[in-house]
Amino acid sequence: FLFGLLRCLFVRRRRKRQMWITDRLILPLCRPYLQDTRFQDTFESAHSVVLALYTCGAACTRELTPFYVDMLLHTCVPRKQLSASQLQVACTTIVESLSHHSDSLAWWCIEQLDDQISVMQLQGRDDDAMSLALCLAAILPHVNLVLLRSLLTRISARILERPAPSAERTQLVERVHESLRDMDASTRLEAMQWWLSHSDTFTQGMS
């Protein structure tokens, strides 16, 4: 019993120390460079550190999420500071991490992304809107079953709003199809049933 108690105290102290290091040292060092592309290597390294915190499920990511997602969508995307692939990696990493701990926060991120697609479309920024739509499709294998149906509904709407056939719809459908191949056992059946029910409509006019 005493050994177990001591081990528990040690683990708690170690976690507190890790949180202190993250909050007091790592994040303050990264924040100034998350939007500063004058030194591209430092800019990318700062984002890599933040995404690593999401990957390891660091406690600070829940509080960090509103700031970081807002910065990605309202600063990095309009200024094209991240490539399409980098943006997809960021979005999928964030949502996958949060879906293990908080469905509501993970879904908030998805909603912010989807809402920003509409904003970009209204502003006539079709390239940015398309980049974000591809991010939405890329997220598909990274959500749990609780969020899957709602996400599929959002993706369906984004596919169908694009003319058939068109290069944009084809690109989005191909990205969805790529994501379906990466689904795990817990979500694959639901996703494939959705695809089989809608694929004829999605691919209308495609050769």
Side-chain angles (χ1 to χ4, degrees), residues 84-95:
S85 60
Q86 288 173 326
L87 188 61
Q88 288 182 31
V89 168
C91 291
T92 55
T93 301
I94 293 168
V95 171

Side-chain angles (χ1 to χ4, degrees), residues 83-135:
S83 67
S85 60
Q86 288 173 326
L87 188 61
Q88 288 182 31
V89 168
C91 291
T92 55
T93 301
I94 293 168
V95 171
E96 180 173 16
S97 174
L98 295 175
S99 66
H100 292 307
H101 309 288
S102 172
D103 289 339
S104 59
L105 191 53
W107 183 248
W108 177 86
C109 294
I110 294 170
E111 283 190 316
Q112 295 301 303
L113 175 58
D114 192 50
D115 290 347
Q116 192 64 9
I117 295 173
S118 299
V119 171
M120 295 296 184
Q121 290 172 333
L122 290 173
Q123 294 176 350
R125 296 160 65 174
D126 295 332
D127 288 346
D128 289 336
M130 188 63 194
S131 293
L132 294 178
L134 292 172
C135 285

Side-chain angles (χ1 to χ4, degrees), residues 1 21 33 35-36 68 73 91 98 106 109 111 147 165 170 173 176 184 189 195 203-204:
F1 172 78
I21 292 173
Y33 300 102
Q35 302 177 62
D36 187 350
Y68 191 59
L73 297 179
C91 291
L98 295 175
C109 294
E111 283 190 316
L147 302 178
T170 299
V173 166
V176 169
D184 65 23
L189 179 60
W195 174 256
T203 60
Q204 183 180 358

Side-chain angles (χ1 to χ4, degrees), residues 26-185:
I26 297 177
L27 287 178
L29 283 172
C30 290
R31 277 179 183 263
Y33 300 102
L34 290 172
Q35 302 177 62
D36 187 350
T37 55
R38 289 177 297 175
F39 305 100
Q40 188 66 25
D41 288 345
T42 307
F43 169 78
E44 292 183 0
S45 294
H47 281 274
S48 295
V49 170
V50 171
L51 293 177
L53 294 175
Y54 279 98
T55 299
C56 69
C60 66
T61 54
R62 297 188 191 188
E63 294 184 2
L64 178 65
T65 294
F67 159 77
Y68 191 59
V69 169
D70 182 79
M71 186 204 62
L72 286 175
L73 297 179
H74 297 95
T75 301
C76 292
V77 172
R79 296 180 183 176
K80 301 188 185 302
Q81 294 175 327
L82 296 173
S83 67
S85 60
Q86 288 173 326
L87 188 61
Q88 288 182 31
V89 168
C91 291
T92 55
T93 301
I94 293 168
V95 171
E96 180 173 16
S97 174
L98 295 175
S99 66
H100 292 307
H101 309 288
S102 172
D103 289 339
S104 59
L105 191 53
W107 183 248
W108 177 86
C109 294
I110 294 170
E111 283 190 316
Q112 295 301 303
L113 175 58
D114 192 50
D115 290 347
Q116 192 64 9
I117 295 173
S118 299
V119 171
M120 295 296 184
Q121 290 172 333
L122 290 173
Q123 294 176 350
R125 296 160 65 174
D126 295 332
D127 288 346
D128 289 336
M130 188 63 194
S131 293
L132 294 178
L134 292 172
C135 285
L136 199 66
I139 288 172
L140 193 53
H142 303 276
V143 298
N144 58 37
L145 193 58
V146 174
L147 302 178
L148 180 63
R149 288 184 181 177
S150 297
L151 177 57
L152 291 173
T153 299
R154 299 292 179 107
I155 291 173
S156 294
R158 293 304 175 187
I159 293 173
L160 294 175
E161 71 185 2
R162 285 165 173 77
S166 67
E168 292 80 9
R169 181 184 279 205
T170 299
Q171 187 179 6
L172 188 52
V173 166
E174 288 177 348
R175 186 62 185 86
V176 169
H177 199 262
E178 181 182 342
S179 292
L180 290 173
R181 293 199 298 268
D182 295 330
M183 306 291 288
D184 65 23

